[in-house]
Amino acid sequence: MQIKNKIRSIALLFGALFLLLPARAAAEVNVKEIVFEHLGDSYMWHITEWNGHEVGIPLPIIVRSHEGGWHVFLSSRLEHGAEYQGFYIASEGNHAGKIVERNAAGEEVRPSIDISITKNVLALFISCTILLLVILPVARWYRDGRMTPPRGFRGAVEMLVMNIQDEVIKPCVGTQYQRFSPYLLTVFFFILINNVLGLVPFFPGGANITGNIAVTFLLALCTFIATNFNGTKEYWKETLWPEVPLWLKLPAPIMPVLEIFGIFTKPFALMIRLFANITAGHAVILGLICVIFITASMGAAINTGMTIVAVAFSIFMSFLELLVAFIQAYVFTLLSAVFIGMAVEKHTTES
Amino acid sequence: MSLLIPDTGLLFWMTLSFLIVLGILTKFGFPIITKAVQKRSEYIADSMETARLAEEKIAALQKEGDAILAKAQEERNALLNEAQEIRNRMIAEARGAAEAEARAVAEKARADIEESKRKALSEIRGQVADLSVRIASKVVRERLADEGAQKHLIDRLLDDEINYPS
């Protein structure tokens, strides 16, 4: 009962807080800006502020302007709205936060190509390096053909690899699992490492990679390619001419259209699921942290109380996110394996 | 919502780095691990099978050894029995032989005694005859000088003959 009462009072406190929010907070702390700044990408890896100076890692900007010609320079040149070689970071409009230039007509446009090493790109490189540094030494350890099981960290990696392979890939993909297991394992560990690094609040973690639609898009695209470029005749027959009553196929091809639509919705769901889960988790934690700063102006008592609540909740959320980090990597791998399995495996339903 | 629009720059780098990572891990990473683990589990299964076979072999050998031992025991017992029998038989034979020998010796002794007795008797008979003749001749030689003396002589001679038969 006591715990229940406590929870209720905390919930009430929270409710009251959210009622107060719009009136007071907007002036001092722009929560939306903070959250979106974190969830999105940036040209500089902001770490902290020190004595009014921004401390961060300047990152290389690589752009190709509309007039042609590549421009490579450090993002520190563009700090505080400065302009360099005709490029600057837009502060408003469609391209807010992005590098823009002015075209001949004087309009603000994005450079024709922008492959700058942004915060997310650098974080991606770091996580890829970590992934390679985790897996390759473990794999090298096996080269000598030793027959004793590994211990410690290698044992943990082996356990995870074999668990995913035996419990997810093998049953879902079927007989041809060995062809797809490297891809699926890479996907699993890639997502897992990026998810976990995203939970680390400081450099080199903190970037929101798996909560970025470009990243999940590419992962889903890979699954899409693996599924449809390896589909058997049977798979395409099931898709284009499924075994349903004829009137569902002729004269209006309702089922085939649905099936073809399904080909695209499956990976699309993969893309959105991962993106949304990770983004939501980050947003919740950030929102909870922001509560501390919002309530700073409400007096010491409320601020202290809310700080305790917010920290407690973000600890809880961080644990939850740790779980989600694993679950989402697992789910992405599992569903990819299921889709691939549906495409490459001979169905046994007829027999 | 800018969050939902894939950024081309990030997409480019993501494609590049993910494909490189995928390539490296496909060539040098996961297949090596999974194959090694598979090989190891095969090795373990093989070892278990080998151990099982060895155990079976040992059990069979033990059984065989036991059988051999039992057989040897049996043979030993048989040999012992046989030896016992032979011993008994030999003892019996020896005893029989000894008895026969003894009987033969006794027989021979008896025969010898018989023979000696017969010889002695015949000798005695001869000597008696001889004595008789001698006495008779002495009696005859003395003549009947004195009837009384003669009679006395005959008595004495007869006494001698009876008491000290030669």
Side-chain angles (χ1 to χ4, degrees):
Chain A
M1 275 313 278
Q2 264 191 334
I3 296 169
K4 241 184 200 172
N5 278 339
K6 259 182 205 165
I7 291 172
R8 191 173 300 156
S9 57
I10 287 169
L12 276 176
L13 215 60
F14 241 85
L17 177 89
F18 279 113
L19 284 178
L20 290 171
L21 263 183
R24 304 286 303 269
E28 287 124 15
V29 185
N30 191 341
V31 179
K32 195 182 161 205
E33 196 179 282
I34 292 174
V35 171
F36 272 75
E37 189 204 305
H38 171 84
L39 292 181
D41 207 348
S42 61
Y43 288 101
M44 182 170 173
W45 198 317
H46 176 79
I47 292 174
T48 185
E49 263 172 47
W50 190 259
N51 286 341
H53 291 286
E54 252 186 79
V55 180
I57 303 165
L59 300 168
I61 284 172
I62 308 163
V63 288
R64 187 181 158 85
S65 69
H66 279 282
E67 286 99 55
W70 289 92
H71 298 265
V72 180
F73 52 93
L74 277 181
S75 68
S76 48
R77 303 266 190 192
L78 301 178
E79 257 179 302
H80 310 298
E83 193 175 323
Y84 184 76
Q85 293 180 358
F87 297 99
Y88 61 98
I89 295 174
S91 52
E92 54 196 31
N94 282 341
H95 307 306
K98 301 275 184 196
I99 283 191
V100 288
E101 62 176 339
R102 291 203 185 275
N103 65 4
E107 292 161 328
E108 218 175 60
V109 287
R110 296 271 287 132
S112 58
I113 297 173
D114 175 7
I115 49 167
S116 308
I117 308 292
T118 59
K119 180 185 172 187
N120 276 349
V121 174
L122 181 61
L124 183 70
F125 290 166
I126 291 171
S127 61
C128 286
T129 312
I130 292 174
L131 179 59
L132 292 178
L133 287 180
V134 165
I135 302 298
L136 290 182
V138 175
R140 185 170 301 125
W141 185 80
Y142 289 94
R143 285 242 163 127
D144 317 342
R146 59 183 88 199
M147 289 301 175
T148 49
R151 292 164 161 274
F153 180 70
R154 288 192 200 98
V157 172
E158 183 199 295
M159 189 203 75
L160 209 52
V161 169
M162 293 318 288
N163 195 49
I164 295 297
Q165 159 138 320
D166 291 342
E167 306 296 325
V168 178
I169 299 173
K170 224 186 261 184
C172 292
V173 178
T175 47
Q176 294 188 52
Y177 76 93
Q178 269 172 332
R179 265 177 70 203
F180 298 99
S181 117
Y183 164 66
L184 292 166
L185 283 168
T186 307
V187 163
F188 175 79
F189 279 92
F190 182 85
I191 296 175
L192 184 65
I193 280 185
N194 281 311
N195 283 354
V196 172
L197 276 180
L199 292 176
V200 178
F202 43 79
F203 184 84
N208 182 28
I209 298 176
T210 37
N212 190 296
I213 201 86
V215 172
T216 59
F217 170 75
L218 184 84
L219 293 171
L221 183 71
C222 288
T223 296
F224 175 81
I225 290 169
T227 308
N228 292 293
F229 282 57
N230 291 296
T232 55
K233 250 185 215 168
E234 223 172 314
Y235 168 74
W236 288 110
K237 192 197 149 273
E238 286 275 306
T239 307
L240 300 174
W241 199 252
E243 280 180 39
V244 288
L246 195 64
W247 59 270
L248 282 171
K249 297 183 271 190
L250 282 173
I254 300 169
M255 281 309 287
V257 166
L258 280 179
E259 291 279 354
I260 289 166
F261 198 59
I263 290 176
F264 295 98
T265 52
K266 281 180 215 157
F268 188 78
L270 280 182
M271 169 177 92
I272 296 296
R273 183 183 298 108
L274 181 58
F275 160 76
N277 270 290
I278 303 306
T279 302
H282 281 236
V284 169
I285 291 178
L286 282 166
L288 285 168
I289 297 299
C290 284
V291 164
I292 297 167
F293 299 101
I294 291 165
T295 52
S297 57
M298 292 180 186
I302 293 179
N303 186 224
T304 311
M306 289 320 294
T307 302
I308 294 167
V309 171
V311 169
F313 265 72
S314 21
I315 290 170
F316 170 72
M317 278 307 296
S318 294
F319 277 116
L320 197 68
E321 281 305 298
L322 214 53
L323 197 64
V324 169
F326 181 82
I327 290 172
Q328 287 308 317
Y330 186 84
V331 165
F332 197 102
T333 313
L334 176 75
L335 290 176
S336 294
V338 169
F339 296 155
I340 292 171
M342 273 167 24
V344 300
E345 191 65 355
K346 293 216 161 39
H347 290 283
T348 49
T349 43
E350 284 113 60
S351 59
Chain B
M1 282 286 282
S2 65
L3 276 183
L4 282 174
I5 300 160
D7 185 65
T8 46
L10 181 58
L11 190 61
F12 167 76
W13 289 113
M14 170 65 190
T15 312
L16 196 70
S17 44
F18 182 74
L19 291 183
I20 289 170
V21 167
L22 179 63
I24 291 174
L25 288 184
T26 303
K27 193 139 175 48
F28 306 109
F30 294 116
I32 289 169
I33 296 178
T34 52
K35 263 178 205 140
V37 172
Q38 200 175 344
K39 216 187 264 173
R40 193 174 70 215
S41 48
E42 274 163 19
Y43 169 77
I44 289 170
D46 276 359
S47 303
M48 301 267 274
E49 182 62 19
T50 314
R52 197 183 59 79
L53 287 177
E55 216 162 90
E56 259 173 27
K57 207 178 255 180
I58 286 169
L61 279 177
Q62 193 138 26
K63 207 181 255 179
E64 208 172 302
D66 282 352
I68 288 170
L69 212 63
K71 207 176 156 197
Q73 191 89 28
E74 213 168 87
E75 261 166 32
R76 205 194 88 192
N77 285 347
L79 275 175
L80 278 177
N81 283 344
E82 205 175 320
Q84 185 87 19
E85 228 164 72
I86 288 169
R87 205 190 84 194
N88 289 346
R89 206 167 57 225
M90 276 171 78
I91 288 170
E93 264 169 23
R95 190 173 288 149
E99 262 168 27
E101 186 93 344
R103 209 177 297 123
V105 167
E107 202 75 13
K108 198 171 169 252
R110 203 178 297 138
D112 281 355
I113 289 168
E114 206 65 25
E115 179 70 22
S116 319
K117 202 170 142 194
R118 207 180 39 83
K119 231 184 240 169
L121 277 179
S122 69
E123 217 166 278
I124 286 170
R125 200 171 291 145
Q127 275 182 4
V128 167
D130 216 16
L131 274 176
S132 306
V133 169
R134 244 181 6 232
I135 292 167
S137 66
K138 269 178 190 168
V139 171
V140 170
R141 225 183 297 152
E142 293 260 334
R143 297 273 174 148
L144 301 172
D146 183 4
E147 210 167 310
Q150 255 182 356
K151 211 171 178 334
H152 181 72
L153 180 69
I154 288 167
D155 282 343
R156 198 175 39 97
L157 285 172
L158 271 175
D159 274 348
D160 284 356
E161 284 302 314
I162 289 160
N163 286 338
Y164 310 101
S166 57

